[in-house]
Amino acid sequence: MHVNKSKELLRKNKMESSCSSSPSTSNDRREEACVFETWMALQREEAIELQQTVDQSKKGQINEHQLNQLIQKILQHFQDYTNIRSRRARIDVSPFFAPTTCTPLENSVLWIAGCRPASFIRFAYALSGVDIESNLTDFLQGKRIGDLGELTMKQMSMIDVLQAKTIKEEKRLCSRLASLQEDILDQPLVGKVKKYSSNDEPLCEDADEALDEHGQHMADLMEEADELRMKTLKEIVLDILKPVQAVEYLAAAKRTRLCFHKWGEKREHQHTNK
């Protein structure tokens, strides 16, 4: 798929159809890879657009209305991708918890099939140069401590409130995930495993119905986690940061996401080509 077309396809929610070659379930993995590749192409495109906008803003070549339009567009793309993930998870949720499209490095930091919402907040702290324990004194004294643009006391207070609220929601979802992971070894699945056959292979009865039910519960959980990710990001870039700060934040987030993927590929290449 051509990179220049990816953004429009995603905005109109047509990415799934463009990646679907047939209704056969044998193509599910191929279609998931296509969706992911299209999304990553969009990330590269948006990273460039956001950085160009940051540069133009510093030169006074773009106004606040234009900044807000770009922010809304980026958020809408994220929401569209989240909606696609949710629909595909209803077909098969397992790949979202250990996606083959991601590197082992990326998978090692996944939280319920995505990034941890509280990491959005930590990222804002990191970009502004604010470390709660070591830099708070300098911040209160009005010293410049970051490149994102100094956060005001009001913004810091709002971020603190958001962080506490987000962590509370994360704990609730973590508890749900733990219960679902424990349930997978409970009835009726454990009753599907019989004694060994004559060829020393375990006798496994059909468990599709039980696994499908478990998968739907996992898809419900992933959907709630995606909603928390979206809610947290919106509150940061729409309610807390100023438009120019929000664009800088999104630009840095896109760059970091792309670099993390590259770092993962590099490390995977190092470990598989010894």
Side-chain angles (χ1 to χ4, degrees), residues 152-167:
T152 66
M153 287 295 294
K154 181 180 179 180
Q155 287 175 311
M156 282 292 295
S157 177
M158 293 173 71
I159 289 177
D160 287 345
V161 171
L162 176 61
Q163 184 177 44
K165 182 172 59 176
T166 302
I167 290 175

Side-chain angles (χ1 to χ4, degrees), residues 17 49 63 92 109 111 150 229 250 260 265:
S17 60
E49 183 179 9
N63 59 42
D92 186 10
V109 297
W111 178 84
E150 292 84 355
R229 281 185 271 268
L250 291 170
F260 210 80
E265 289 180 328

Side-chain angles (χ1 to χ4, degrees), residues 160-219:
D160 287 345
V161 171
L162 176 61
Q163 184 177 44
K165 182 172 59 176
T166 302
I167 290 175
K168 181 179 179 180
E169 283 298 298
E170 285 182 352
K171 289 181 178 179
R172 181 181 65 82
L173 294 177
C174 281
S175 178
R176 288 264 310 280
L177 176 61
S179 295
L180 287 172
Q181 290 174 329
E182 292 168 3
D183 290 346
I184 196 69
L185 293 177
D186 203 345
Q187 295 289 352
L189 287 178
V190 70
K192 302 292 184 180
V193 182
K194 303 302 181 181
K195 294 181 179 180
Y196 282 87
S197 62
S198 57
N199 61 354
D200 293 330
E201 288 292 329
L203 295 174
C204 307
E205 294 183 1
D206 182 78
D208 284 347
E209 183 177 350
L211 291 174
D212 287 344
E213 181 180 355
H214 181 267
Q216 290 305 306
H217 291 315
M218 292 292 281

Side-chain angles (χ1 to χ4, degrees), residues 36-98:
F36 178 77
E37 289 166 4
T38 304
W39 172 245
M40 291 302 288
L42 180 58
Q43 299 312 287
R44 289 188 286 272
E45 185 178 328
E46 288 181 339
I48 294 172
E49 183 179 9
L50 284 161
Q51 188 56 52
Q52 289 175 341
T53 301
V54 169
D55 295 339
Q56 290 174 341
S57 177
K58 290 180 178 179
K59 297 176 182 177
Q61 298 174 348
I62 194 166
N63 59 42
E64 189 169 298
H65 176 69
Q66 291 171 307
L67 292 174
N68 284 324
Q69 283 186 318
L70 178 58
I71 293 167
Q72 290 290 349
K73 182 176 68 173
I74 298 297
L75 290 175
Q76 185 59 55
H77 289 169
F78 189 21
Q79 184 64 64
D80 290 342
Y81 182 59
T82 296
N83 293 342
I84 291 172
R85 278 165 47 93
S86 180
R87 287 194 294 272
R88 296 199 67 83
R90 294 298 171 181
I91 301 172
D92 186 10
V93 71
S94 298
F96 291 96
F97 283 81

Side-chain angles (χ1 to χ4, degrees), residues 14-25:
K14 292 183 177 180
M15 184 162 63
E16 285 176 297
S17 60
S18 69
C19 289
S20 299
S21 55
S22 78
S24 172
T25 56

Side-chain angles (χ1 to χ4, degrees), residues 86-133:
S86 180
R87 287 194 294 272
R88 296 199 67 83
R90 294 298 171 181
I91 301 172
D92 186 10
V93 71
S94 298
F96 291 96
F97 283 81
T100 57
T101 50
C102 292
T103 63
L105 175 63
E106 292 168 290
N107 285 342
S108 71
V109 297
L110 285 182
W111 178 84
I112 309 184
C115 58
R116 185 178 287 272
S119 67
F120 295 162
I121 301 166
R122 291 293 295 271
F123 191 61
Y125 282 132
L127 289 178
S128 65
V130 176
D131 181 279
I132 298 177
E133 295 181 357

